[in-house]
Amino acid sequence: MTSIRAAAPLVLLLLSGCVVGPDHKSPEISLPAKFGEGSTKSNGDVSMAPWWNAFNDSRLNGYVQQGLSQNLDVLQALERINQAEANVVAAGAGSLPSLTLSANNTTSGADTRPNSPATEATRNTTAGNVDVSWFLDLFGRYKRSRESALANLDAAYASVDVARLSLLSQIAAAYIDARYYQERIALARQNLNSRRETLQLTRLQLEAGAASRLDVVQAEGLVNTTLAELPGLETNFRRATHRIATLLGQPASTYVAEMQKGARQPAARVNPRSGVPADLIRNRPDIRAAERQLAASVAQVGVAESQLYPSISLGGSISPSYSAISSSSDSRGISWSFGPALTLPVFDGGALKANVRSAESIAREDYLTWKQTVLNAVEEVENALAALARDGRTVAALRETVRSYQEALSLATASYRDGASSLLDVLDAQRQVSTAQANLAAAIQQMAQDYVALNVAIGGGYAFGQGPTRVAAASAGPVITK
C-alpha cells in the first residue's frame, strides 16, 4: 500500500500531461521618451514608407524596386524561411504516431538426393512487418520543440526584412557615391580647362617677356596634378556602379553606360522624422529577429528539462509470413506484439542537468543580445540625427566658400593679365577653388548618406511593395519602461 501511495503523484503527473520549462515572456528594457535631438511624436509603422523618393531621382527609385525583387541576399533569406517551415513540421512530427511498413522475399534451394545430379527443392519465403509507435509527450518535449521551431520561423521572416533594409542602405549608399565621384570628375575637368587656359596665358606672357620659365613650369605642374586626379575618380565611380549591379543581381558592368549619362548629386527634399525610441521595437526587423531568437532559446530550456523526466512510448508490430516449397507444401503464419515502454533516466553522470544549465545560459545570452540590439539601434538613430541636424550648415558654409574663392580667382586672373599680380596668386586661387568645390561635393554626399542612415536606423521602407510581414503570434512585443 505504501508503494502505491508513493507512486500516485508520479502517475497523476504523467496523466496530466505537464509541460515543463519556462514560458517566454516579452523582454523588458528602459528607453527614454524621446531621442536627444528628436521630438515626442511617434512615427507609427514606417516599414512601407519609400523614403528614397525624397531624392526625386527616378533612376535610384528604379534600382531600389529592382533590388527588392532580385537581390541575392534577400532571395537567400527567403530560402531560409522554407527551411524554417520544414523544421516546424519536423519538430512536431515526433509527438505523432508513426507507422512503418516493410516486406521482403527470399528464394533458397538445397540438394535433396545425395550422390546424384543437382536436383533442388526451392523454398520461397515472403514476410512483412508493420511497426507502429507513439511517443506520449507527457512533459512537452515536442511541444516545446515546436514552439522553438515556430519562433525560429518568425526570426527567419524578420531576417528577410533585415536583408531588405540592408539592401536599401547599400543601394542608396552606392548610388550616392557614384554621383559624388561623377561630380568630382566634372569639377576636375572644369578645373583642368581653367588651368590649361592659365598655362596658355603664361606661355604668351613668357613670349612677351612678362613671365619667367618658372611661371610656365608651375602652371604645367598644376595641369598635370589635375590630370593625375581623374583616373582615381573614374575608378571609384566604376566601383560604385559595379556595386549597384551586384546588389541588383547583375554582372558588375551592367549599369556603367547607363550611369555615365550623369545626374546631379542626390539631395533629400524632405526632412525625415525620427519618431521615438519605442518605435524601434516595432519597426526594426533586427530587434524582432533577436526577440524571436530569444523565444526559441527559452523553448529549448523546456526541451532540455523534459529529458529529466520519464518517457513512455506505445509500440507494436504485426509480422505476417508465407513460405512455399516447390516440391511439397507451404506454410503461413502471423505474429504480433504490443505494449508500452518506459524510459527512466536514473544515472547519467549529470549530463541532462548540464544540458538544462547550458540551455538556460543560451537563453540569458540571447536576452543580452536582444538588449544590445535595441541599444545599438537607439545609438544609430541618435548619431544620424546629430549628423543630419548639422550637415545643412556645413553645406551652406561651403557654398559660400566656393563663391568667395571663385570671385577671388576671377580677380587674380584679371590682375595677372594686367601685370599687376604674379602667377602664384592665380595658381593659389585655382587650388583654393578646387579644394572648396571638392569639399562641397563631399559635404553634399555626406548629407545624403546621413539621410539614408537615419531612415535605415528607424527601420523605414523595407516592406515597400512586399505585402504584410509575418507577425509572431506568440509574443505581444517587448515591454518598454521609461
Side-chain angles (χ1 to χ4, degrees), residues 152-385:
N152 282 324
L153 176 59
D154 290 331
Y157 274 94
S159 295
V160 173
D161 294 336
V162 171
R164 287 173 176 153
L165 189 61
S166 176
L167 170 68
L168 293 176
S169 174
Q170 293 180 70
I171 288 181
Y175 188 85
I176 291 167
D177 287 346
R179 294 308 186 199
Y180 161 71
Y181 288 117
Q182 272 188 318
E183 178 69 12
R184 288 290 309 278
I185 291 169
L187 291 172
R189 287 172 177 166
Q190 291 175 10
N191 292 330
L192 181 60
N193 291 335
S194 174
R195 291 169 182 179
R196 280 174 171 166
E197 290 176 359
T198 301
L199 175 59
Q200 183 62 28
L201 176 61
T202 305
R203 285 171 175 168
L204 292 174
Q205 295 278 42
L206 177 63
E207 293 175 1
S212 66
R213 178 61 184 167
L214 177 60
D215 292 335
V216 174
V217 172
Q218 288 176 327
E220 287 176 345
L222 199 56
V223 168
N224 290 327
T225 298
T226 308
L227 286 171
E229 291 177 359
L230 281 169
L233 295 173
E234 291 169 352
T235 298
N236 287 332
F237 164 74
R238 286 181 173 268
R239 284 175 175 168
T241 306
H242 294 165
R243 183 61 184 152
I244 293 172
T246 301
L247 290 171
L248 271 55
Q250 300 296 324
S253 60
T254 302
Y255 300 105
V256 171
E258 184 174 283
M259 288 289 291
Q260 282 177 333
K261 296 177 182 178
R264 59 174 175 77
Q265 279 191 269
R269 300 290 187 261
V270 178
N271 292 325
R273 297 189 310 168
S274 63
V276 296
D279 291 336
L280 299 178
I281 305 297
R282 173 183 58 251
N283 292 329
R284 285 280 294 246
D286 55 337
I287 295 177
R288 292 204 315 274
E291 189 272 337
R292 291 287 81 203
Q293 183 58 54
L294 170 60
S297 297
V298 171
Q300 285 298 321
V301 175
V303 173
E305 287 190 9
S306 69
Q307 295 173 354
L308 298 173
Y309 297 93
S311 61
I312 298 177
S313 59
L314 303 178
S317 65
I318 300 175
S319 303
S321 65
Y322 171 77
S323 179
I325 302 176
S326 58
S327 60
S328 56
S329 61
D330 59 9
S331 63
R332 294 178 174 83
I334 186 171
S335 61
W336 60 273
S337 62
F338 177 80
L342 173 65
T343 301
L344 180 64
V346 177
F347 180 74
D348 61 1
L352 295 179
K353 289 186 177 180
N355 290 340
V356 174
R357 292 196 300 272
S358 176
E360 290 172 341
S361 178
I362 291 173
R364 289 193 297 269
E365 180 185 1
D366 285 341
Y367 165 72
L368 296 174
T369 299
W370 173 85
K371 185 175 182 179
Q372 184 177 36
T373 304
V374 175
L375 295 178
N376 287 342
V378 173
E379 180 188 5
E380 290 172 7
V381 175
E382 294 281 20
N383 290 342
L385 274 174

Side-chain angles (χ1 to χ4, degrees), residues 44-58:
D45 185 3
V46 297
S47 63
M48 299 187 69
W51 49 263
W52 52 91
N53 286 345
F55 290 120
N56 196 26
D57 191 314
S58 59

Side-chain angles (χ1 to χ4, degrees), residues 59-237:
R59 184 161 289 139
L60 173 60
N61 295 344
Y63 289 159
V64 167
Q65 293 182 19
Q66 188 176 348
L68 287 173
S69 64
Q70 62 189 46
N71 174 259
L72 298 181
D73 288 336
V74 173
L75 294 178
Q76 291 175 54
L78 287 169
E79 287 300 325
R80 287 191 285 273
I81 290 179
N82 296 332
Q83 298 163 26
E85 287 176 340
N87 289 337
V88 171
V89 176
S95 62
L96 301 176
S98 67
L99 175 66
T100 303
L101 303 177
S102 63
N104 64 80
N105 177 268
T106 60
T107 301
S108 61
D111 188 353
T112 59
R113 293 180 300 168
N115 303 320
S116 66
T119 302
E120 298 180 350
T122 303
R123 177 189 296 271
N124 288 308
T125 303
T126 301
N129 199 57
V130 179
D131 292 316
V132 180
S133 64
W134 185 15
F135 179 87
L136 301 182
D137 195 17
L138 300 175
F139 297 99
R141 179 186 305 179
Y142 289 106
K143 182 177 185 299
R144 292 300 192 192
S145 293
R146 192 168 187 277
E147 284 181 10
S148 180
L150 284 170
N152 282 324
L153 176 59
D154 290 331
Y157 274 94
S159 295
V160 173
D161 294 336
V162 171
R164 287 173 176 153
L165 189 61
S166 176
L167 170 68
L168 293 176
S169 174
Q170 293 180 70
I171 288 181
Y175 188 85
I176 291 167
D177 287 346
R179 294 308 186 199
Y180 161 71
Y181 288 117
Q182 272 188 318
E183 178 69 12
R184 288 290 309 278
I185 291 169
L187 291 172
R189 287 172 177 166
Q190 291 175 10
N191 292 330
L192 181 60
N193 291 335
S194 174
R195 291 169 182 179
R196 280 174 171 166
E197 290 176 359
T198 301
L199 175 59
Q200 183 62 28
L201 176 61
T202 305
R203 285 171 175 168
L204 292 174
Q205 295 278 42
L206 177 63
E207 293 175 1
S212 66
R213 178 61 184 167
L214 177 60
D215 292 335
V216 174
V217 172
Q218 288 176 327
E220 287 176 345
L222 199 56
V223 168
N224 290 327
T225 298
T226 308
L227 286 171
E229 291 177 359
L230 281 169
L233 295 173
E234 291 169 352
T235 298
N236 287 332
F237 164 74

Side-chain angles (χ1 to χ4, degrees), residues 444-465:
I444 293 174
Q445 175 201 29
Q446 188 60 54
M447 184 166 62
Q449 296 285 20
D450 289 337
Y451 175 84
V452 172
L454 178 57
N455 282 281
V456 170
I458 64 177
Y462 62 83
F464 178 76

